[in-house]
Amino acid sequence: MLFVMITLLIFSVPGIWFLWTAIDFKLGKREKLSWKIPVIMLILLTMGSIVIQIFLLKKYSFPLFQTNLETVVGMSVVGIIAILILIINLLITKTAGKNLPKSVHDPKTVNVFTLYLSIFLFITLFIAAPTGKKIGFAASINQAMASTQNVVDEEFSIVLVSSEKECLRNTSSCRDMEYSNQFFIKNNLGKTQLVQVKIRALNSSNEEMKVIDSKIMRLEPNELRLLETEETSEDSSVWNQYSFQTDHRIASYEHMLRYRDPE
């Protein structure tokens, strides 16, 4: 999640800048609302993210767009938040807002804020966050490749790349979340194989947390892939996927595997 956090922080700079100047404008400290620089920054960041995603598409074959389900969920989040704000704004305007000065409640300002928030959320959900997640998943692939490139005495290499929670802040809700674990498997044989792996995950006290079987995976010679289990969501983009989840961070693991030639 480090790359996602960094990406979101960078993309939040134009929004913070805009809100800061909007507050100063509202308080009369500025004669005009400063919006050009934040918009230019947001456009440049968006273009930079698109360039990065195109690079990752060519190098790692990551799709440019998220899955249909992720797109529907993201659009629903943006739409619901915008509609709720507009409904609340309309209700206040038609009731108590009639007796409130514009310095306290300005319907046009709320509408502009809603539009800006919707654009910001859209860019965050569909450009900023996916860019950070793609970079993070590319880093996981590179780490797995580095860990398996010198292996010569194993038919298949199994490596745990990450065991972390899918949250940005250490809040109470984050503490209740499970750890998402990314295992990678590489076929070191010179031929295509069907392989299935059994993983026994252990915590820092060497206690068993979970035993789980992978799916039967078809691996080409020297192919490196995320180890998929029944917990790996097919509705998620590849950069959002994990092998399986545990209640605690995986400190060590044991594995057994079986493989055969494809029929």
Side-chain angles (χ1 to χ4, degrees), residues 32 41 50 88 113 122-123 126 130 153 170 193:
K32 295 182 179 180
M41 290 177 61
I50 293 174
I88 294 173
F113 170 78
F122 180 86
I123 293 177
F126 292 96
D153 58 346
N170 188 22
Q193 292 286 282

PDB file of all heavy atoms in Angstrom, residues 32 41 50 88 113 122-123 126 130 153 170 193:
ATOM      1  N   LYS A  32      -9.800  36.897  -6.069  1.00  0.00           N
ATOM      2  CA  LYS A  32     -10.285  35.910  -7.031  1.00  0.00           C
ATOM      3  C   LYS A  32     -10.010  34.500  -6.515  1.00  0.00           C
ATOM      4  O   LYS A  32      -9.066  34.282  -5.757  1.00  0.00           O
ATOM      5  CB  LYS A  32      -9.605  36.103  -8.396  1.00  0.00           C
ATOM      6  CG  LYS A  32      -9.942  37.413  -9.080  1.00  0.00           C
ATOM      7  CD  LYS A  32      -9.254  37.493 -10.442  1.00  0.00           C
ATOM      8  CE  LYS A  32      -9.606  38.795 -11.153  1.00  0.00           C
ATOM      9  NZ  LYS A  32      -8.942  38.886 -12.489  1.00  0.00           N
ATOM     10  N   MET A  41      -2.109  21.482 -12.479  1.00  0.00           N
ATOM     11  CA  MET A  41      -1.383  20.431 -11.761  1.00  0.00           C
ATOM     12  C   MET A  41      -2.101  19.092 -11.880  1.00  0.00           C
ATOM     13  O   MET A  41      -1.466  18.057 -12.111  1.00  0.00           O
ATOM     14  CB  MET A  41      -1.241  20.811 -10.286  1.00  0.00           C
ATOM     15  CG  MET A  41      -0.295  21.952 -10.020  1.00  0.00           C
ATOM     16  SD  MET A  41      -0.249  22.403  -8.253  1.00  0.00           S
ATOM     17  CE  MET A  41       0.330  20.874  -7.544  1.00  0.00           C
ATOM     18  N   ILE A  50      -1.151   8.422 -16.783  1.00  0.00           N
ATOM     19  CA  ILE A  50      -1.512   7.681 -17.993  1.00  0.00           C
ATOM     20  C   ILE A  50      -0.255   7.161 -18.694  1.00  0.00           C
ATOM     21  O   ILE A  50      -0.214   6.023 -19.179  1.00  0.00           O
ATOM     22  CB  ILE A  50      -2.340   8.570 -18.938  1.00  0.00           C
ATOM     23  CG1 ILE A  50      -3.711   8.871 -18.303  1.00  0.00           C
ATOM     24  CG2 ILE A  50      -2.531   7.900 -20.298  1.00  0.00           C
ATOM     25  CD1 ILE A  50      -4.548   9.853 -19.090  1.00  0.00           C
ATOM     26  N   ILE A  88     -28.923  17.165   0.061  1.00  0.00           N
ATOM     27  CA  ILE A  88     -28.821  17.910   1.317  1.00  0.00           C
ATOM     28  C   ILE A  88     -28.777  19.408   1.047  1.00  0.00           C
ATOM     29  O   ILE A  88     -29.423  20.212   1.742  1.00  0.00           O
ATOM     30  CB  ILE A  88     -27.575  17.458   2.097  1.00  0.00           C
ATOM     31  CG1 ILE A  88     -27.736  16.002   2.552  1.00  0.00           C
ATOM     32  CG2 ILE A  88     -27.339  18.372   3.304  1.00  0.00           C
ATOM     33  CD1 ILE A  88     -26.488  15.416   3.173  1.00  0.00           C
ATOM     34  N   PHE A 113     -18.484  22.943  -5.360  1.00  0.00           N
ATOM     35  CA  PHE A 113     -17.710  22.024  -4.532  1.00  0.00           C
ATOM     36  C   PHE A 113     -18.054  20.571  -4.877  1.00  0.00           C
ATOM     37  O   PHE A 113     -17.159  19.712  -4.958  1.00  0.00           O
ATOM     38  CB  PHE A 113     -17.992  22.286  -3.051  1.00  0.00           C
ATOM     39  CG  PHE A 113     -17.421  21.239  -2.136  1.00  0.00           C
ATOM     40  CD1 PHE A 113     -16.078  21.232  -1.819  1.00  0.00           C
ATOM     41  CD2 PHE A 113     -18.243  20.248  -1.600  1.00  0.00           C
ATOM     42  CE1 PHE A 113     -15.549  20.265  -0.978  1.00  0.00           C
ATOM     43  CE2 PHE A 113     -17.718  19.268  -0.762  1.00  0.00           C
ATOM     44  CZ  PHE A 113     -16.372  19.281  -0.451  1.00  0.00           C
ATOM     45  N   PHE A 122     -13.316  10.796  -8.951  1.00  0.00           N
ATOM     46  CA  PHE A 122     -13.201  10.015 -10.180  1.00  0.00           C
ATOM     47  C   PHE A 122     -11.729   9.789 -10.534  1.00  0.00           C
ATOM     48  O   PHE A 122     -11.323   8.658 -10.837  1.00  0.00           O
ATOM     49  CB  PHE A 122     -13.909  10.736 -11.328  1.00  0.00           C
ATOM     50  CG  PHE A 122     -13.845  10.004 -12.636  1.00  0.00           C
ATOM     51  CD1 PHE A 122     -14.783   9.038 -12.950  1.00  0.00           C
ATOM     52  CD2 PHE A 122     -12.838  10.274 -13.558  1.00  0.00           C
ATOM     53  CE1 PHE A 122     -14.718   8.352 -14.155  1.00  0.00           C
ATOM     54  CE2 PHE A 122     -12.758   9.593 -14.758  1.00  0.00           C
ATOM     55  CZ  PHE A 122     -13.711   8.623 -15.059  1.00  0.00           C
ATOM     56  N   ILE A 123     -10.949  10.859 -10.487  1.00  0.00           N
ATOM     57  CA  ILE A 123      -9.522  10.739 -10.805  1.00  0.00           C
ATOM     58  C   ILE A 123      -8.812   9.859  -9.781  1.00  0.00           C
ATOM     59  O   ILE A 123      -7.943   9.049 -10.124  1.00  0.00           O
ATOM     60  CB  ILE A 123      -8.878  12.134 -10.873  1.00  0.00           C
ATOM     61  CG1 ILE A 123      -9.434  12.900 -12.076  1.00  0.00           C
ATOM     62  CG2 ILE A 123      -7.358  12.033 -10.973  1.00  0.00           C
ATOM     63  CD1 ILE A 123      -8.923  14.323 -12.192  1.00  0.00           C
ATOM     64  N   PHE A 126     -10.048   6.078 -10.411  1.00  0.00           N
ATOM     65  CA  PHE A 126      -9.814   5.475 -11.723  1.00  0.00           C
ATOM     66  C   PHE A 126      -8.425   5.770 -12.303  1.00  0.00           C
ATOM     67  O   PHE A 126      -8.039   5.159 -13.290  1.00  0.00           O
ATOM     68  CB  PHE A 126     -10.883   5.931 -12.715  1.00  0.00           C
ATOM     69  CG  PHE A 126     -12.251   5.396 -12.397  1.00  0.00           C
ATOM     70  CD1 PHE A 126     -13.160   6.150 -11.682  1.00  0.00           C
ATOM     71  CD2 PHE A 126     -12.614   4.114 -12.787  1.00  0.00           C
ATOM     72  CE1 PHE A 126     -14.421   5.651 -11.375  1.00  0.00           C
ATOM     73  CE2 PHE A 126     -13.865   3.605 -12.488  1.00  0.00           C
ATOM     74  CZ  PHE A 126     -14.772   4.370 -11.777  1.00  0.00           C
ATOM     75  N   PRO A 130      -5.327   3.266  -9.062  1.00  0.00           N
ATOM     76  CA  PRO A 130      -4.837   2.184  -9.928  1.00  0.00           C
ATOM     77  C   PRO A 130      -3.365   2.337 -10.315  1.00  0.00           C
ATOM     78  O   PRO A 130      -2.653   1.337 -10.417  1.00  0.00           O
ATOM     79  CB  PRO A 130      -5.740   2.296 -11.170  1.00  0.00           C
ATOM     80  CG  PRO A 130      -6.996   2.904 -10.662  1.00  0.00           C
ATOM     81  CD  PRO A 130      -6.546   3.885  -9.617  1.00  0.00           C
ATOM     82  N   ASP A 153      17.827 -25.847  -8.598  1.00  0.00           N
ATOM     83  CA  ASP A 153      17.627 -27.208  -8.102  1.00  0.00           C
ATOM     84  C   ASP A 153      16.175 -27.485  -7.701  1.00  0.00           C
ATOM     85  O   ASP A 153      15.892 -28.472  -7.044  1.00  0.00           O
ATOM     86  CB  ASP A 153      18.550 -27.473  -6.912  1.00  0.00           C
ATOM     87  CG  ASP A 153      18.330 -26.478  -5.776  1.00  0.00           C
ATOM     88  OD1 ASP A 153      17.674 -25.447  -6.023  1.00  0.00           O
ATOM     89  OD2 ASP A 153      18.813 -26.740  -4.665  1.00  0.00           O
ATOM     90  N   ASN A 170      -3.632   3.317  10.308  1.00  0.00           N
ATOM     91  CA  ASN A 170      -3.755   2.343  11.391  1.00  0.00           C
ATOM     92  C   ASN A 170      -4.906   2.748  12.326  1.00  0.00           C
ATOM     93  O   ASN A 170      -4.699   3.134  13.476  1.00  0.00           O
ATOM     94  CB  ASN A 170      -2.445   2.243  12.165  1.00  0.00           C
ATOM     95  CG  ASN A 170      -2.468   1.097  13.165  1.00  0.00           C
ATOM     96  OD1 ASN A 170      -3.240   0.152  13.025  1.00  0.00           O
ATOM     97  ND2 ASN A 170      -1.613   1.196  14.175  1.00  0.00           N
ATOM     98  N   GLN A 193       3.568 -27.143 -17.539  1.00  0.00           N
ATOM     99  CA  GLN A 193       3.104 -28.050 -16.498  1.00  0.00           C
ATOM    100  C   GLN A 193       1.801 -27.542 -15.864  1.00  0.00           C
ATOM    101  O   GLN A 193       1.537 -26.334 -15.845  1.00  0.00           O
ATOM    102  CB  GLN A 193       4.150 -28.190 -15.399  1.00  0.00           C
ATOM    103  CG  GLN A 193       5.424 -28.904 -15.839  1.00  0.00           C
ATOM    104  CD  GLN A 193       5.231 -30.391 -15.990  1.00  0.00           C
ATOM    105  OE1 GLN A 193       5.206 -31.134 -15.015  1.00  0.00           O
ATOM    106  NE2 GLN A 193       5.116 -30.847 -17.233  1.00  0.00           N
TER     107      GLN A 193
END
